[in-house]
Short mmCIF file of all heavy atoms in Angstrom, two decimals:
data_model
loop_
_atom_site.label_atom_id
_atom_site.label_comp_id
_atom_site.label_asym_id
_atom_site.label_seq_id
_atom_site.Cartn_x
_atom_site.Cartn_y
_atom_site.Cartn_z
N ASP P 202 -5.75 -0.59 24.22
CA ASP P 202 -5.38 0.27 25.31
C ASP P 202 -4.62 1.51 24.83
O ASP P 202 -3.57 1.30 24.21
CB ASP P 202 -4.55 -0.56 26.33
CG ASP P 202 -4.22 0.30 27.60
OD1 ASP P 202 -4.38 1.53 27.63
OD2 ASP P 202 -3.85 -0.43 28.57
N PRO P 203 -5.03 2.66 24.98
CA PRO P 203 -4.40 3.96 24.56
C PRO P 203 -2.93 3.96 24.99
O PRO P 203 -2.06 4.74 24.44
CB PRO P 203 -5.29 5.06 24.93
CG PRO P 203 -6.60 4.47 25.22
CD PRO P 203 -6.31 3.04 25.71
N SER P 204 -2.67 3.39 26.18
CA SER P 204 -1.24 3.51 26.73
C SER P 204 -0.30 2.60 26.08
O SER P 204 0.85 2.57 26.26
CB SER P 204 -1.34 3.25 28.20
OG SER P 204 -1.75 1.79 28.48
N THR P 205 -0.91 1.67 25.19
CA THR P 205 0.07 0.68 24.51
C THR P 205 0.94 1.49 23.50
O THR P 205 0.37 2.18 22.67
CB THR P 205 -0.71 -0.46 23.82
OG1 THR P 205 -1.43 -1.11 24.88
CG2 THR P 205 0.25 -1.36 23.08
N THR P 206 2.29 1.24 23.69
CA THR P 206 3.22 1.87 22.77
C THR P 206 3.39 1.14 21.52
O THR P 206 3.81 -0.06 21.55
CB THR P 206 4.59 2.02 23.50
OG1 THR P 206 4.46 2.68 24.76
CG2 THR P 206 5.52 2.85 22.61
N PRO P 207 3.01 1.73 20.40
CA PRO P 207 3.38 1.03 19.12
C PRO P 207 4.74 0.68 18.99
O PRO P 207 5.66 1.26 19.56
CB PRO P 207 2.89 2.06 18.11
CG PRO P 207 2.03 2.99 18.76
CD PRO P 207 2.50 3.06 20.19
N LEU P 208 4.96 -0.34 18.07
CA LEU P 208 6.42 -0.83 17.91
C LEU P 208 7.29 0.20 17.41
O LEU P 208 8.53 0.22 17.61
CB LEU P 208 6.41 -2.05 16.99
CG LEU P 208 5.76 -3.31 17.54
CD1 LEU P 208 5.78 -4.45 16.51
CD2 LEU P 208 6.48 -3.72 18.83
N ASN P 209 6.81 1.18 16.56
CA ASN P 209 7.73 2.20 16.11
C ASN P 209 7.62 3.53 16.90
O ASN P 209 8.08 4.55 16.48
CB ASN P 209 7.44 2.46 14.62
CG ASN P 209 5.98 2.89 14.39
OD1 ASN P 209 5.19 3.19 15.32
ND2 ASN P 209 5.57 2.94 13.09
N PHE P 210 6.93 3.52 18.06
CA PHE P 210 6.91 4.58 18.99
C PHE P 210 6.26 5.80 18.47
O PHE P 210 6.63 7.01 18.76
CB PHE P 210 8.36 4.90 19.46
CG PHE P 210 9.02 3.73 20.08
CD1 PHE P 210 10.05 3.10 19.33
CD2 PHE P 210 8.76 3.24 21.35
CE1 PHE P 210 10.63 1.99 19.94
CE2 PHE P 210 9.25 2.17 21.89
CZ PHE P 210 10.38 1.41 21.12
N THR P 211 5.34 5.67 17.55
CA THR P 211 4.59 6.81 17.05
C THR P 211 3.23 6.31 16.72
O THR P 211 2.81 5.11 16.68
CB THR P 211 5.31 7.31 15.74
OG1 THR P 211 4.53 8.50 15.29
CG2 THR P 211 5.28 6.34 14.62
N ARG P 212 2.29 7.32 16.57
CA ARG P 212 0.86 6.87 16.16
C ARG P 212 0.84 6.17 14.89
O ARG P 212 -0.10 5.49 14.50
CB ARG P 212 0.02 8.12 16.07
CG ARG P 212 -0.47 8.70 17.38
CD ARG P 212 -1.45 9.90 17.15
NE ARG P 212 -2.58 9.47 16.39
CZ ARG P 212 -3.33 10.24 15.64
NH1 ARG P 212 -3.01 11.51 15.54
NH2 ARG P 212 -4.27 9.73 14.90
N SER P 213 1.87 6.35 13.98
CA SER P 213 1.96 5.77 12.69
C SER P 213 1.16 6.48 11.63
O SER P 213 0.20 7.24 12.00
CB SER P 213 1.43 4.27 12.69
OG SER P 213 1.54 3.67 11.49
N ILE P 214 1.56 6.30 10.41
CA ILE P 214 0.82 6.96 9.30
C ILE P 214 -0.62 6.46 9.35
O ILE P 214 -0.90 5.19 9.39
CB ILE P 214 1.59 6.56 7.99
CG1 ILE P 214 3.04 6.97 7.98
CG2 ILE P 214 0.75 7.19 6.77
CD1 ILE P 214 3.75 6.36 6.88
N ASN P 215 -1.54 7.31 9.22
CA ASN P 215 -3.00 6.91 9.06
C ASN P 215 -3.05 5.99 7.88
O ASN P 215 -2.38 6.07 6.92
CB ASN P 215 -3.88 8.14 8.87
CG ASN P 215 -4.30 8.70 10.20
OD1 ASN P 215 -3.81 8.45 11.21
ND2 ASN P 215 -5.42 9.44 10.18
N LEU P 216 -4.01 5.07 8.01
CA LEU P 216 -4.17 3.96 7.00
C LEU P 216 -5.23 4.48 5.99
O LEU P 216 -6.07 5.18 6.22
CB LEU P 216 -4.70 2.70 7.67
CG LEU P 216 -3.66 2.13 8.70
CD1 LEU P 216 -4.32 0.94 9.33
CD2 LEU P 216 -2.31 1.78 8.00
N ALA P 217 -5.03 4.03 4.72
CA ALA P 217 -6.01 4.30 3.58
C ALA P 217 -6.56 2.83 3.32
O ALA P 217 -5.88 2.03 2.81
CB ALA P 217 -5.31 4.81 2.48
N LEU P 218 -7.85 2.74 3.60
CA LEU P 218 -8.57 1.48 3.36
C LEU P 218 -9.25 1.55 1.96
O LEU P 218 -10.08 2.42 1.76
CB LEU P 218 -9.65 1.18 4.45
CG LEU P 218 -10.52 -0.03 4.32
CD1 LEU P 218 -9.58 -1.25 4.44
CD2 LEU P 218 -11.55 -0.08 5.53
N SER P 219 -9.00 0.61 0.98
CA SER P 219 -9.51 0.69 -0.29
C SER P 219 -10.26 -0.57 -0.58
O SER P 219 -10.42 -1.47 0.26
CB SER P 219 -8.49 1.03 -1.31
OG SER P 219 -7.49 0.10 -1.26
N GLU P 220 -10.70 -0.82 -1.73
CA GLU P 220 -11.58 -1.89 -2.17
C GLU P 220 -10.98 -3.23 -1.80
O GLU P 220 -11.76 -4.13 -1.32
CB GLU P 220 -11.79 -1.94 -3.69
CG GLU P 220 -12.49 -3.15 -4.28
CD GLU P 220 -13.75 -3.50 -3.68
OE1 GLU P 220 -14.53 -2.63 -3.06
OE2 GLU P 220 -14.24 -4.65 -3.65
N ARG P 221 -9.71 -3.54 -2.00
CA ARG P 221 -9.19 -4.83 -1.63
C ARG P 221 -9.42 -5.26 -0.17
O ARG P 221 -9.79 -6.36 0.19
CB ARG P 221 -7.67 -4.87 -2.01
CG ARG P 221 -7.44 -4.73 -3.52
CD ARG P 221 -5.97 -4.63 -3.85
NE ARG P 221 -5.83 -4.25 -5.23
CZ ARG P 221 -5.83 -5.18 -6.31
NH1 ARG P 221 -5.82 -6.45 -6.06
NH2 ARG P 221 -5.71 -4.67 -7.46
N GLY P 222 -9.04 -4.20 0.71
CA GLY P 222 -9.29 -4.44 2.16
C GLY P 222 -10.78 -4.68 2.50
O GLY P 222 -11.13 -5.54 3.24
N LEU P 223 -11.63 -3.87 1.92
CA LEU P 223 -13.12 -4.00 2.13
C LEU P 223 -13.59 -5.33 1.63
O LEU P 223 -14.36 -5.93 2.29
CB LEU P 223 -13.79 -2.86 1.50
CG LEU P 223 -13.55 -1.46 1.99
CD1 LEU P 223 -14.10 -0.33 1.08
CD2 LEU P 223 -14.22 -1.26 3.43
N ASN P 224 -13.05 -5.70 0.41
CA ASN P 224 -13.51 -7.00 -0.05
C ASN P 224 -13.14 -8.17 0.77
O ASN P 224 -13.87 -9.17 0.96
CB ASN P 224 -12.89 -7.18 -1.47
CG ASN P 224 -13.54 -8.29 -2.29
OD1 ASN P 224 -14.73 -8.53 -2.27
ND2 ASN P 224 -12.73 -9.09 -3.01
N ALA P 225 -11.94 -8.11 1.39
CA ALA P 225 -11.46 -9.16 2.28
C ALA P 225 -12.37 -9.22 3.50
O ALA P 225 -12.75 -10.33 4.00
CB ALA P 225 -10.03 -8.96 2.69
N MET P 226 -12.85 -8.02 3.98
CA MET P 226 -13.81 -8.04 5.11
C MET P 226 -15.11 -8.57 4.65
O MET P 226 -15.77 -9.16 5.57
CB MET P 226 -13.90 -6.59 5.66
CG MET P 226 -12.54 -6.09 6.29
SD MET P 226 -12.77 -4.43 7.01
CE MET P 226 -11.09 -3.99 7.22
N ARG P 227 -15.56 -8.34 3.51
CA ARG P 227 -16.84 -8.83 3.07
C ARG P 227 -16.84 -10.36 3.16
O ARG P 227 -17.95 -10.87 3.40
CB ARG P 227 -17.17 -8.30 1.64
CG ARG P 227 -17.51 -6.85 1.51
CD ARG P 227 -17.92 -6.57 0.04
NE ARG P 227 -17.83 -5.08 -0.21
CZ ARG P 227 -16.84 -4.65 -0.94
NH1 ARG P 227 -15.97 -5.48 -1.66
NH2 ARG P 227 -16.74 -3.41 -1.13
N HIS P 228 -15.85 -10.93 2.87
CA HIS P 228 -15.71 -12.40 2.83
C HIS P 228 -15.41 -13.10 4.10
O HIS P 228 -15.03 -14.25 4.25
CB HIS P 228 -14.71 -12.89 1.73
CG HIS P 228 -15.19 -12.61 0.29
ND1 HIS P 228 -15.06 -11.42 -0.33
CD2 HIS P 228 -15.78 -13.42 -0.62
CE1 HIS P 228 -15.65 -11.38 -1.54
NE2 HIS P 228 -16.01 -12.76 -1.69
N ALA P 229 -15.36 -12.20 5.24
CA ALA P 229 -14.93 -12.76 6.52
C ALA P 229 -15.99 -13.59 7.21
O ALA P 229 -15.66 -14.10 8.27
CB ALA P 229 -14.46 -11.60 7.41
N GLY P 230 -17.25 -13.61 6.74
CA GLY P 230 -18.24 -14.28 7.45
C GLY P 230 -18.84 -13.53 8.65
O GLY P 230 -19.50 -14.11 9.54
N GLN P 231 -18.56 -12.15 8.64
CA GLN P 231 -19.14 -11.35 9.76
C GLN P 231 -19.99 -10.20 9.09
O GLN P 231 -19.36 -9.18 8.60
CB GLN P 231 -17.98 -10.70 10.59
CG GLN P 231 -17.22 -11.85 11.42
CD GLN P 231 -18.05 -12.14 12.65
OE1 GLN P 231 -19.03 -11.42 13.10
NE2 GLN P 231 -17.80 -13.41 13.22
N PRO P 232 -21.27 -10.35 8.95
CA PRO P 232 -22.04 -9.42 8.19
C PRO P 232 -21.98 -7.92 8.63
O PRO P 232 -22.09 -7.04 7.93
CB PRO P 232 -23.44 -9.99 8.40
CG PRO P 232 -23.31 -11.42 8.67
CD PRO P 232 -21.92 -11.49 9.46
N LYS P 233 -21.63 -7.78 9.93
CA LYS P 233 -21.68 -6.43 10.53
C LYS P 233 -20.29 -5.79 10.47
O LYS P 233 -20.07 -4.67 10.73
CB LYS P 233 -22.13 -6.40 11.99
CG LYS P 233 -23.60 -6.90 12.07
CD LYS P 233 -24.11 -6.82 13.50
CE LYS P 233 -25.56 -7.22 13.67
NZ LYS P 233 -26.00 -7.25 15.04
N LEU P 234 -19.25 -6.55 10.02
CA LEU P 234 -17.85 -6.09 10.08
C LEU P 234 -17.63 -4.80 9.25
O LEU P 234 -17.06 -3.86 9.72
CB LEU P 234 -16.95 -7.30 9.66
CG LEU P 234 -15.43 -6.75 9.59
CD1 LEU P 234 -14.91 -6.36 10.93
CD2 LEU P 234 -14.64 -8.04 9.02
N ILE P 235 -18.14 -4.78 8.04
CA ILE P 235 -17.97 -3.65 7.19
C ILE P 235 -18.49 -2.34 7.69
O ILE P 235 -17.89 -1.36 7.84
CB ILE P 235 -18.50 -3.97 5.74
CG1 ILE P 235 -17.74 -4.95 5.01
CG2 ILE P 235 -18.59 -2.61 4.91
CD1 ILE P 235 -16.35 -4.42 4.52
N ASP P 236 -19.81 -2.52 8.20
CA ASP P 236 -20.42 -1.28 8.81
C ASP P 236 -19.65 -0.83 10.03
O ASP P 236 -19.54 0.40 10.33
CB ASP P 236 -21.89 -1.60 9.15
CG ASP P 236 -22.70 -1.69 7.80
OD1 ASP P 236 -22.25 -1.23 6.74
OD2 ASP P 236 -23.77 -2.28 7.84
N HIS P 237 -19.27 -1.86 10.84
CA HIS P 237 -18.53 -1.61 12.06
C HIS P 237 -17.22 -0.75 11.83
O HIS P 237 -16.85 0.13 12.57
CB HIS P 237 -18.24 -2.85 12.77
CG HIS P 237 -17.81 -2.77 14.21
ND1 HIS P 237 -18.43 -1.99 15.05
CD2 HIS P 237 -16.83 -3.46 14.83
CE1 HIS P 237 -17.85 -2.11 16.24
NE2 HIS P 237 -16.89 -2.91 16.15
#
Side-chain angles (χ1 to χ4, degrees):
D202 185 344
S204 66
T205 298
T206 304
L208 291 178
N209 56 12
F210 306 104
T211 183
R212 280 185 60 204
S213 177
I214 304 169
N215 270 22
L216 300 173
L218 182 61
S219 58
E220 167 58 23
R221 293 172 193 273
L223 293 169
N224 191 44
M226 292 183 195
R227 288 188 203 105
H228 287 81
Q231 291 286 335
K233 296 181 180 179
L234 176 58
I235 290 288
D236 290 340
H237 195 43

